[in-house]
Amino acid sequence: MTSVLELAPVIPVVVIEDAEDAVPLARALVAGGLPAIEVTLRTPAAPDAIRAIAAEVPDAVVGAGTVISPVQVETAVSAGARFLVSPGWTDALLDAMRDSGVPFLPGVSTVSEVVALLERGVTEMKFFPAEAAGGKPYLKSISGPLPGARFCPTGGISRESAPGYLALPNVACVGGTWMLPPDALAAKDWSRVEALAAEAASLGAPAA
């Protein structure tokens, strides 16, 4: 795998409180057509969840999100993460992600951060927090001066707003949680998750 951005139009951003839920949740997302799954390192269960998905759901491409330190890079990759996503970046974090051997999406929210990554040869990035940082108008405005950068916007994106992001020339996919409603997760309603994932997977870039 050379690019996270090409796997699906939508990457589910998953917060797993109980590692026992990881495998059925991942199976539901994959069955719905969303193979790239970002498990955020926001809970103690996250490494075990990544490990379980990597071992038991072969069609899933499981990654780690909210990676904010070199130690977390090592933890995630050791657990089986096949890609890394960070909300922002530092030189130390960027070096660790690059040295990990797996694809990564460092987070940016300013033009200067984008330019700094382009200087370092990084062209694929997470735009976060997308809605709070300027959303579609912001990304559209920087597509001209920074044509080499491609983004996965994440943060506040909904089923309704996703197609508008996907229509932008510098957006390859979006990250979101709308296919993972808390009540469905609490009820372990994996069929509902699968249906919402299928709906999300059908989203493509509409005609601009």
Side-chain angles (χ1 to χ4, degrees), residues 138-140 142-144 146-147 149-152 165 167-172:
Y138 188 93
L139 284 171
K140 184 176 181 180
I142 67 173
S143 64
L146 300 171
R150 299 176 73 220
F151 300 97
C152 175
Y165 278 98
L168 297 174
N170 54 352
V171 170

Side-chain angles (χ1 to χ4, degrees), residues 33-205:
L34 299 180
I37 302 169
E38 177 187 333
V39 177
T40 65
L41 299 182
R42 300 180 191 177
T43 67
D48 286 339
I50 292 170
R51 192 172 291 109
I53 295 170
E56 300 183 45
V57 191
D59 291 333
V61 181
V62 64
T66 323
V67 177
I68 59 173
S69 72
V71 170
Q72 287 186 326
V73 169
E74 183 177 351
T75 297
V77 174
S78 295
R82 293 172 60 187
F83 65 91
L84 304 169
V85 184
S86 68
W89 64 276
T90 63
D91 286 331
L93 178 58
L94 188 68
D95 288 344
M97 291 195 293
R98 197 192 296 270
D99 291 344
S100 72
V102 301
F104 57 93
L105 295 175
V108 296
S109 61
T110 70
V111 169
S112 294
E113 290 169 331
V114 176
V115 172
L117 285 178
L118 290 173
E119 279 187 352
R120 290 161 172 79
V122 178
T123 59
E124 299 185 347
M125 311 167 196
K126 169 179 176 171
F127 179 60
F128 176 83
E131 287 289 286
K136 295 184 290 289
Y138 188 93
L139 284 171
K140 184 176 181 180
S141 71
I142 67 173
S143 64
L146 300 171
R150 299 176 73 220
F151 300 97
C152 175
T154 304
I157 296 175
S158 67
R159 163 67 181 84
E160 292 71 30
S161 65
Y165 278 98
L166 292 168
L168 297 174
N170 54 352
V171 170
C173 62
V174 300
T177 61
W178 74 86
M179 72 298 298
L180 302 162
D183 58 338
L185 300 186
K188 303 185 190 301
D189 187 351
W190 309 127
S191 61
R192 183 179 171 203
V193 171
E194 180 180 340
L196 291 170
E199 182 183 74
S202 71
L203 298 177

